Amino acid sequence: MPWAKEKDFIDLKERFSGLEIKELENSTSLHIEKGKLIELLSILKEEKGYKLFLDHSVVDLKEVLEKEKDWRSLTSSGLVAFPEDRSSRFQAFYILYNVEERKKVIVKTRTDGTLPSIEKLWFAGKWAEREAYDMFGIRYEGHDNLVRAFLWETYPYFPLRKDFPLEGIPEMDLPSLNEVFLGDPLEGTMNYERKHTLVPTLEDLEITEKKRLKKKAQIVLNWGPLHPGTHGTMWFLFDLEGERIVQCDVILGQLHRGVEKLAENEMYNQFLVYTDRMDYISALCSNQAWVVAVERMLGIEDLVPEKAKYIRTMMSELQRINSHLLWLGTYALDLGAITIFLYAFKEREKIMDIIEGITGARLTISYPRVGGVRMDLPEGALEVIKAFIRRFPKELSDWERILTRNRIWLRRNKEVGVLTPEEAYYFGATGPVIRGSGIPYDVRKFEPYDAYGEVEFDVPVGEIGDCYDRYLVRIEEMRQSVRIIEQCVKKLEKLPKDAPFFAEVPKERKVKLTLDGIGLKVPVGEIYSSGENPRGELGFYILSTGGTKPYRVKIRPPSFYNLSAYPHLMRNRVVADAVAILASIDPVVGETDR
């Protein structure tokens, strides 16, 4: 795994008194006092080359501080910064990546509730700070406009704190419509209760809207959250001067389900089903990223059978094509090309049938497992896949003849939504968005997992970073996915039919591994592990105090950070560009809101 080494930062110890460097099995972290945090992050970015911002959040240590055994376990493992500090409740972490040297590092600090803002270093950090403020109540000094990321502005609680109950706080009287209009007393029947958790009023939403955008121009236009062009339930605000957009903001939270909170209350394999429901267009890729992260924490990545690795890789690439087909069809439809939508969905239906035939499900799949896959490939599966990949490249070429040199398509995409390489780093972009800007960052190449280190494929990149480049990158990615699938099929055909598809762990490893995952215990430790989803880098930061459930799971959704560039890309554009730029980013709200 491409973690930086202690020797890479030895020179910093002379510049920062109190700096601690912890090189652990699954992470390398720098522990710094919060007063020196901004200076350290600035040096890491400008001098050490850690220009790509991956993620930032906090861990609520309340329960650990109350349990002496857990506190000793975490501090002795080097996972907590400044263990002598027993009063600071929160530990903040920042995950950075050096693309040139292929190294990543975590920066940690402790806080009692305030932190300096990093928004001048990375705009993506501004969005991460809004999320930490929303979920934990952390206040950021110097933040331009500290507003909640997902919840409405007048909401009084911070849901990811350890003392906030999983089911929320039922305090609002919400009578049933049957009760209001028909007089049916439902209290006590069918699990109905009048008391519910808080829901926003129209006044709450109006306050939220005004906090997001300070009007500069003539009129504020609401786009979404239920407009079909928003590709999900997202709410956009456009401050307009005629047709020109002076400023723009995004109000998220229309689809929030508290997945990270649920992760703290579920066993590791139980949480797998929730990864299906984040990016529901690429469930298999999300499943794969999660199980690989847990396998790395357990130290059993080398025990996963070769057959399982190739199956997971093949299935994820089928899912990638599936996802890109949905993107291509809806993108073309948004810009008026109805024929492409029909063609893309015709081929997508074939992939859905293949996935259903192998896994038994079409959308929420949960096929991978920690240690392998749920079941072997059925008879004839490889023949069906070979038939699909033989025919699909010709279909793709036909669609390109319709779109790629079409003058309307060119006018709507060329030099629209330009994101430079430096801006891609600044906004924490990954996936086709950063590759469209000319940066060949692909987790499958930079940190290979499963069979990606054994197969050959190219990473397509753009030149300008506009909507057209992002279109071309995804088209070529589908061709490269076909290459990967072909190699996986050839390998699987050579393996014996009775080759194992699930790991057998030697007794000396002391890991209980079963298909249902019941009783799976993960040792004390932390990891940040990621996979290359169709939309970019899906990362999981896991902190374990030992046992069957994680203490903290922070999910790094690619759509969330890619979307942070949207207000910048829309500045001084016209309303007609809104659909094209958003579709070129290709966000999925299920993972954005989590």
Side-chain angles (χ1 to χ4, degrees):
M1 295 173 65
W3 287 97
K5 303 297 181 184
E6 182 176 0
K7 63 182 181 181
D8 297 329
F9 307 110
I10 288 295
D11 60 312
L12 296 180
K13 297 197 80 169
E14 299 175 1
R15 301 166 68 174
F16 294 93
S17 61
L19 175 68
E20 296 180 11
I21 306 171
K22 299 291 183 180
E23 186 180 326
L24 306 176
E25 185 178 359
N26 289 313
S27 68
T28 298
S29 56
L30 307 180
H31 300 178
I32 191 72
E33 299 170 14
K34 73 174 183 179
K36 303 172 183 175
L37 175 67
I38 296 299
E39 186 182 357
L40 176 62
L41 291 174
S42 180
I43 288 172
L44 289 173
K45 179 183 178 182
E46 304 297 338
E47 297 181 21
K48 296 288 187 178
Y50 290 86
K51 295 191 291 185
L52 178 59
F53 173 89
L54 289 180
D55 208 5
H56 157 62
S57 190
V58 299
V59 178
D60 184 358
L61 296 173
K62 178 179 172 60
E63 290 184 359
V64 176
L65 288 164
E66 292 171 352
K67 297 177 182 177
E68 192 62 33
K69 181 182 176 183
D70 287 347
W71 178 255
R72 285 200 305 270
S73 296
L74 287 187
T75 53
S76 63
S77 300
L79 300 173
V80 176
F82 309 110
E84 66 278 4
D85 181 0
R86 299 291 294 261
S87 60
S88 296
R89 175 175 174 174
F90 302 101
Q91 176 163 278
F93 61 88
Y94 302 79
I95 305 172
L96 310 176
Y97 200 93
N98 183 328
V99 175
E100 298 296 326
E101 298 181 10
R102 302 191 179 189
K103 295 177 181 178
K104 59 187 171 188
V105 68
I106 302 176
V107 178
K108 295 181 182 178
T109 191
R110 295 283 297 282
T111 177
D112 56 358
T114 61
L115 285 169
S117 175
I118 66 167
E119 68 168 78
K120 292 181 180 178
L121 292 173
W122 295 282
F123 185 88
K126 183 176 182 179
W127 274 40
E129 288 170 358
R130 284 172 54 181
E131 181 179 345
Y133 164 65
D134 196 2
M135 296 292 115
F136 293 94
I138 305 296
R139 295 199 166 268
Y140 290 87
E141 297 160 353
H143 194 285
D144 177 46
N145 183 26
L146 189 59
V147 293
R148 304 192 85 128
F150 303 113
L151 296 162
W152 59 98
E153 286 303 313
T154 51
Y155 188 72
Y157 305 115
F158 307 107
L160 284 186
R161 288 189 174 187
K162 287 293 184 179
D163 50 10
F164 186 84
L166 179 65
E167 68 278 7
I169 301 172
E171 58 185 304
M172 188 173 189
D173 198 51
L174 286 175
S176 162
L177 291 177
N178 286 38
E179 190 176 349
V180 172
F181 293 110
L182 303 177
D184 293 344
L186 297 180
E187 186 77 34
T189 63
M190 298 180 290
N191 296 320
Y192 171 73
E193 297 177 4
R194 285 182 65 104
K195 290 290 184 183
H196 286 251
T197 55
L198 292 173
V199 295
T201 64
L202 289 176
E203 184 181 1
D204 292 326
L205 296 179
E206 187 176 345
I207 292 170
T208 300
E209 182 179 358
K210 287 181 178 178
K211 282 259 189 178
R212 290 295 194 280
L213 208 63
K214 295 176 182 176
K215 187 178 174 184
K216 292 181 180 179
Q218 293 176 332
I219 187 171
V220 174
L221 174 69
N222 286 279
W223 184 39
L226 298 177
H227 192 285
T230 60
H231 292 245
T233 46
M234 285 185 283
W235 180 6
F236 295 88
L237 301 175
F238 297 143
D239 196 9
L240 297 173
E241 191 75 55
E243 279 281 310
R244 186 175 62 87
I245 294 170
V246 175
Q247 58 174 339
C248 162
D249 206 346
V250 189
I251 302 180
L252 301 172
Q254 321 297 315
L255 201 64
H256 200 270
R257 337 55 186 274
V259 168
E260 291 177 13
K261 186 80 171 180
L262 290 165
E264 299 171 7
N265 295 272
E266 302 285 354
M267 290 187 286
Y268 286 89
N269 257 341
Q270 286 179 318
F271 181 65
L272 180 70
V273 300
Y274 292 99
T275 64
D276 283 302
R277 289 156 175 81
M278 294 188 304
D279 184 350
Y280 34 77
I281 312 300
S282 58
L284 280 163
C285 301
S286 303
N287 295 162
Q288 184 185 29
W290 172 254
V291 299
V292 168
V294 178
E295 287 164 0
R296 285 172 172 169
M297 284 201 78
L298 290 168
I300 63 166
E301 197 176 8
D302 60 318
L303 298 178
V304 178
E306 190 177 35
K307 188 175 192 177
K309 290 183 176 182
Y310 274 93
I311 289 174
R312 293 197 310 208
T313 301
M314 177 181 70
M315 296 298 289
S316 288
E317 292 308 308
L318 282 169
Q319 186 81 85
R320 192 179 314 280
I321 297 173
N322 184 3
S323 175
H324 283 352
L325 287 176
L326 181 111
W327 156 80
L328 178 63
T330 53
Y331 189 11
L333 188 66
D334 285 343
L335 300 188
I338 299 174
T339 306
I340 295 296
F341 173 80
L342 300 174
Y343 285 164
F345 267 64
K346 175 172 65 74
E347 295 304 307
R348 186 171 183 264
E349 188 65 22
K350 294 173 185 175
I351 296 179
M352 298 285 276
D353 287 342
I354 291 170
I355 291 173
E356 183 182 18
I358 293 172
T359 69
R362 292 170 68 85
L363 193 68
T364 51
I365 297 165
S366 303
Y367 178 59
R369 288 288 184 275
V370 176
V373 291
R374 180 160 52 93
M375 54 191 175
D376 204 348
L377 294 172
E379 193 70 33
L382 295 179
E383 294 301 319
V384 176
I385 293 172
K386 282 197 295 184
F388 173 77
I389 60 177
R390 270 197 306 267
R391 187 173 182 277
F392 179 70
K394 180 183 179 301
E395 294 284 329
L396 196 55
S397 297
D398 289 344
W399 305 342
E400 278 210 275
R401 276 194 288 274
I402 296 173
L403 281 184
T404 304
R405 297 299 174 191
N406 184 294
R407 60 184 178 181
I408 299 174
W409 188 256
L410 292 170
R411 287 288 296 274
R412 294 298 304 275
N413 287 287
K414 289 284 282 185
E415 298 181 7
V416 174
V418 176
L419 192 71
T420 67
E422 285 305 314
E423 288 170 343
Y425 287 131
Y426 183 60
F427 289 102
T430 55
V433 178
I434 194 172
R435 292 193 287 274
S437 297
I439 300 170
Y441 180 66
D442 189 317
V443 179
R444 297 171 297 172
K445 285 283 190 184
F446 280 54
E447 189 180 344
Y449 52 98
D450 281 346
Y452 285 114
E454 308 299 323
V455 296
E456 294 181 1
F457 65 99
D458 299 319
V459 178
V461 294
E463 295 179 351
I464 301 172
D466 57 6
C467 291
Y468 191 65
D469 272 349
R470 294 190 279 275
Y471 156 75
L472 292 175
V473 163
R474 289 190 180 94
I475 292 293
E476 184 57 31
E477 278 190 8
M478 286 192 269
R479 288 197 173 90
Q480 297 303 318
S481 290
V482 169
R483 279 183 68 190
I484 295 171
I485 294 167
E486 285 174 342
Q487 295 169 73
C488 289
V489 169
K490 287 178 182 177
K491 181 66 176 181
L492 289 167
E493 285 180 326
K494 291 177 182 177
L495 292 174
K497 286 191 176 181
D498 59 349
F501 58 87
F502 193 75
E504 291 185 14
V505 183
K507 289 183 180 178
E508 58 267 20
R509 293 281 187 106
K510 297 181 180 179
V511 175
K512 180 185 176 183
L513 205 60
T514 58
L515 269 173
D516 59 13
I518 302 300
L520 176 65
K521 291 185 178 180
V522 172
V524 175
E526 72 174 349
I527 194 171
Y528 173 78
S529 177
S530 54
E532 186 66 37
N533 263 32
R535 266 145 287 282
E537 178 169 348
L538 174 66
F540 292 97
Y541 172 82
I542 306 172
L543 177 65
S544 169
T545 55
T548 59
K549 299 176 183 178
Y551 183 80
R552 171 79 168 109
V553 173
K554 171 62 176 74
I555 301 163
R556 188 228 183 259
S559 292
F560 181 71
Y561 289 118
N562 289 347
L563 199 57
S564 74
Y566 187 74
H568 166 72
L569 296 176
M570 284 305 302
R571 196 170 297 129
N572 289 321
R573 303 302 308 183
V574 294
V575 175
D577 291 331
V579 176
I581 293 175
L582 183 65
S584 77
I585 294 173
D586 189 27
V588 166
V589 188
E591 67 168 23
T592 303
D593 284 5
R594 303 188 302 294

